């Protein structure tokens, strides 16, 4: 009886340790936000080597991952342990009630063989994600290991963002350089694997995300490092009840489209205690077009707290797609050190939507390259090598103009930025209004404010803008 009691105690302790209490993040919120609901997966545990996995960095483990997940799924779910080692693999597809647990010292490293990521013909123009799930419940990735997307095998790089040493390292990999010599594509590489498109630019457009899920419910990412993605790193889409706790997301500072944590049309999410250091947006909220018969649209009921962003195009970013709207969101007690922009709101005609009940507070920033706070309504997303032509704006696109409103920003401290606050809307469209910024201290290097008051309505209260020369 004592042994049984001890076993039950251990199981209970394990379940409790994996089902953390997140109620503290919903104390004293300035607006009601529906809290996330912790969940568990079955305690059944298997290890990857039991299914033929070999951690030598040479053996391809795609089949081992697939078999292990299939066996666990058939039994109702459980935990797949990835021990210490380098686990070379193709795409991993998660199923209901599956936890992928990486022990400290474990590295999941995705193969450069692009053929393994191809979708069935005609289903998608983009390659399959490195790790994916669709219409699943109760999925988790936990532990202290690293998930590496091997993204340099997919991404173009701009010569202007490279030192001579770095540029020559890319040239040593093979690849193709444009006639102007301003861009390198991973095309006809020396690794011996074939290309999967007819030309370098088409293949570039097929780049995949490191972790992408769609229409899932109950998702936990905890402790793991996600790095070096071909495109976006952590990208939940049209999903609900998402907990992102204590992860690290990283890639080189100059990575094209190397977003860190992007939530696209997600409800009921919590992002806490995480660190981001990437080449594009740091922590970003997006909302695209509504999907027929999909019950989640827009971003809603989200708390983002106690995170650190080092390099990124923006520390906290909204956009550029905001079509479904963003509402009931609290962003507080975060740190941005060395981002291009601190708080960045960006969108454009044809991809804009409404913001409602957004509260941002207690944001600490240093060494911001451009603006501490920025509202931009003429944003245009450009792929690498884009010729820069302005898009043709139709009346239908104008009906989807940005509506940045009901946004409340308080207690921002920024030491060092080019411009303190920059904002501009679109004439006659009332895109930036009902924006309150209060109790902020911003030390700027060049410009205090660059606000187009005819198109952007901001209320500044007790906002101190100090030139750096005065300090």
């Amino acid at each position: 009886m004592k042994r049984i009691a001890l076993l039950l105690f251990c199981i209970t302790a394990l379940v409790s340790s994996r089902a953390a209490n997140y109620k503290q993040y919903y104390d004293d919120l300035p607006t009601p936000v529906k809290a996330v609901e912790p969940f568990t997966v079955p305690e059944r545990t298997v290890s990857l080597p039991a299914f033929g996995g070999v951690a030598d960095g040479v053996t391809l483990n795609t089949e081992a991952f697939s078999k292990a997940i299939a066996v666990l799924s058939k039994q109702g779910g459980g935990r797949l342990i990835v021990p210490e080692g380098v686990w070379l693999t193709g795409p991993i597809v998660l199923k209901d009630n599956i936890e992928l647990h990486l022990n400290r010292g474990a590295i999941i490293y995705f193969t450069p063989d692009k053929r393994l990521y191809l979708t069935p013909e005609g289903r998608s123009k983009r390659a399959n994600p490195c790790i994916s799930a669709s219409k699943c419940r109760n999925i988790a990735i936990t532990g202290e290991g690293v998930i590496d997307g091997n993204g340099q095998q997919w991404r173009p790089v701009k010569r202007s963002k490279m030192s001579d040493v770095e540029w020559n390292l890319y040239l040593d990999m093979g690849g193709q350089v444009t006639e102007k010599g301003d861009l390198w594509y991973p095309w006809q590489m020396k690794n011996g694997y074939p290309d999967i498109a007819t030309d370098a630019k088409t293949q570039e457009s097929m780049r995949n995300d490191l972790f992408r899920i769609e229409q899932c419910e109950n998702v936990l990412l905890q402790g793991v490092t996600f790095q070096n993605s071909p495109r976006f790193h952590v990208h939940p889409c049209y999903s609900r009840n998402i907990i992102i706790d204590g992860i690290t997301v990283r890639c080189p500072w100059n990575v094209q489209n190397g977003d860190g944590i992007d939530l696209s049309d997600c409800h009921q999410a919590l992002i806490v205690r995480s660190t981001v250091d990437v080449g594009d947006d740091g922590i970003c909220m997006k909302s695209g077009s509504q999907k027929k018969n999909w019950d989640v649209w827009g971003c809603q009921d989200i708390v983002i707290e106690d995170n650190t962003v080092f390099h990124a195009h923006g520390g906290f970013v909204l956009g550029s797609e905001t079509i479904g709207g963003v509402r009931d969101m609290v962003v507080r007690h975060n740190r941005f050190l060395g981002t291009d922009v601190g708080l960045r709101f960006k969108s454009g005609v044809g991809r804009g939507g409404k913001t409602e009940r957004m509260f941002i507070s207690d944001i600490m920033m240093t060494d911001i390259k451009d603006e501490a706070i920025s509202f931009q309504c003429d944003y245009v997303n450009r792929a690498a090598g884009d010729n820069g032509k302005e898009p043709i704006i139709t009346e239908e696109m104008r009906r989807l103009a940005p509506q940045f409103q009901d946004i409340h920003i308080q207690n921002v401290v920024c030491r060092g930025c080019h411009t303190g606050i920059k904002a501009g809307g679109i004439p006659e469209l009332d895109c930036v209004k009902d924006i309150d910024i209060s109790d902020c201290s911003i030390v700027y290097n060049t410009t205090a404010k660059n606000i187009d008051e005819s198109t952007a309505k901001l209320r500044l209260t007790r906002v101190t803008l100090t030139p750096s020369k005065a300090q």
Side-chain angles (χ1 to χ4, degrees):
M1 289 295 293
K2 289 184 178 180
R3 288 185 178 181
I4 294 174
L6 180 61
L7 179 60
L8 289 173
F9 173 80
C10 291
I11 290 175
T12 302
L14 182 58
V15 172
S16 299
S17 68
R18 287 158 58 188
N21 182 359
Y22 294 106
K23 291 182 180 179
Q24 60 179 309
Y25 295 104
Y26 296 89
D27 292 339
D28 301 319
L29 292 182
T31 189
V33 176
K34 187 176 182 180
V36 293
E37 301 171 4
F39 64 94
T40 59
V41 300
E43 287 302 315
R44 189 177 297 105
T45 299
V46 299
S47 185
L48 192 59
F51 297 87
V54 180
D56 59 2
V58 177
T59 303
L60 192 65
N61 290 284
T62 314
E63 187 175 356
F65 276 105
S66 181
K67 283 183 177 179
I69 291 171
V71 167
L72 277 176
S73 180
K74 190 174 181 180
Q75 297 175 348
R79 197 184 216 200
L80 172 56
I81 302 293
V82 182
E84 179 179 296
V86 178
W87 304 90
L88 183 69
T89 185
I92 298 171
V93 180
L94 301 178
K95 298 181 181 295
D96 288 343
N97 300 306
I98 297 295
E99 178 182 353
L100 185 65
H101 181 84
L102 284 70
N103 285 348
R104 186 173 180 84
I107 301 174
I108 296 177
Y109 192 83
F110 285 92
T111 175
D113 189 348
K114 298 179 179 69
R115 295 171 297 180
L116 299 184
Y117 304 89
L118 288 175
T119 61
E121 188 173 355
R123 181 176 297 178
S124 173
K125 294 181 180 179
R126 194 176 297 281
N128 280 320
C130 297
I131 301 178
S132 65
S134 178
K135 299 180 180 178
C136 290
R137 299 187 79 254
N138 306 332
I139 57 174
I141 301 178
T142 65
E144 299 180 79
V146 177
I147 299 172
D148 192 309
N150 197 8
Q152 67 275 8
Q153 301 292 332
W154 291 86
R155 302 184 303 251
V157 295
K158 295 178 179 178
R159 180 64 182 92
S160 61
K161 292 185 175 182
M162 293 278 132
S163 67
D164 290 344
V165 172
E166 291 171 311
W167 184 252
N168 288 331
L169 289 174
Y170 276 95
L171 296 180
D172 287 344
M173 295 165 59
Q176 180 185 87
V177 178
T178 58
E179 289 185 10
K180 292 182 180 180
D182 60 345
L183 193 64
W184 175 91
Y185 286 100
W187 178 257
Q188 298 179 343
M189 300 284 276
K190 292 179 181 179
N191 59 27
Y193 294 107
D195 294 303
I196 57 173
T198 56
D199 59 81
K201 290 190 71 173
T202 300
Q203 183 167 277
E204 187 275 333
S205 70
M206 298 172 68
R207 282 188 291 149
N208 54 351
D209 296 341
L210 181 53
F211 172 84
R212 179 188 175 103
I213 59 172
E214 292 184 346
Q215 290 185 278
C216 291
E217 184 174 354
N218 302 342
V219 179
L220 172 65
L221 305 179
Q222 189 178 63
V224 176
T225 295
F226 295 84
Q227 70 172 32
N228 202 19
S229 176
R231 188 171 170 266
F232 295 173
H233 286 77
V234 175
H235 194 194
C237 304
Y238 298 96
S239 296
R240 186 191 306 274
N241 198 42
I242 300 159
I243 302 169
I244 298 176
D245 177 11
I247 70 170
T248 298
V249 184
R250 59 188 296 271
C251 68
W253 73 272
N254 47 23
V255 164
Q256 186 83 13
N257 306 119
D259 287 27
I261 301 172
D262 285 15
L263 299 189
S264 292
D265 295 282
C266 291
H267 291 184
Q268 203 176 344
L270 178 67
I271 303 174
V272 295
R273 301 188 300 183
S274 294
T275 301
V276 178
D277 190 354
V278 292
D280 211 303
D281 293 334
I283 300 174
C284 182
M285 304 292 109
K286 300 178 181 291
S287 176
S289 58
Q290 188 172 18
K291 304 293 185 182
K292 186 177 181 180
N293 298 324
W294 291 23
D295 65 347
V296 174
W297 185 38
C299 289
Q300 181 173 328
D301 293 313
I302 297 172
V303 172
I304 300 170
E305 184 170 344
D306 193 20
N307 302 286
T308 301
V309 181
F310 292 104
H311 185 271
H313 284 183
F316 170 76
V317 181
L318 185 62
S320 57
E321 302 88 355
T322 58
I323 295 172
V326 179
R327 60 194 67 88
D328 300 318
M329 179 179 298
V330 175
V331 182
R332 62 184 184 180
H333 299 295
N334 297 287
R335 299 161 295 280
F336 308 146
L337 301 90
T339 61
D340 290 353
V341 180
L343 299 171
R344 186 183 189 192
F345 302 83
K346 60 173 182 175
S347 192
V349 290
R351 54 173 66 203
K354 182 187 291 186
T355 59
E356 303 172 80
R357 298 178 299 281
M358 287 194 64
F359 291 83
I360 302 171
S361 66
D362 302 290
I363 307 297
M364 306 296 116
M365 312 184 201
T366 58
D367 301 318
I368 304 302
K369 174 177 171 287
D370 298 319
E371 301 90 24
I373 302 171
S374 172
F375 291 88
Q376 179 185 5
C377 296
D378 60 353
Y379 180 82
V380 177
N381 188 33
R382 301 191 187 281
D386 191 296
N387 61 14
K389 291 183 179 179
E390 293 298 320
I392 298 174
I393 306 301
T394 65
E395 281 303 311
E396 175 63 26
M397 292 173 67
R398 288 175 70 86
R399 280 193 285 271
L400 292 174
Q403 297 181 60
F404 293 134
Q405 60 174 37
D406 197 5
I407 299 173
H408 311 272
I409 300 172
Q410 184 179 21
N411 193 27
V412 170
V413 179
C414 176
R415 172 70 200 200
C417 60
H418 182 279
T419 301
I421 302 171
K422 182 176 180 180
I426 300 172
E428 301 178 1
L429 291 183
D430 210 16
C431 293
V432 183
K433 62 181 180 180
D434 190 21
I435 309 294
D436 290 303
I437 303 176
S438 64
D439 300 299
C440 297
S441 174
I442 299 174
V443 178
Y444 65 91
N445 301 324
T446 304
T447 305
K449 294 185 293 184
N450 182 3
I451 300 173
D452 181 355
E453 294 185 357
S454 66
T455 61
K457 306 298 190 294
L458 276 62
R459 293 188 292 266
L460 274 57
T461 306
R462 297 181 300 280
V463 174
T464 303
L465 297 159
T466 306
S468 59
K469 293 179 182 179
Q471 298 298 312

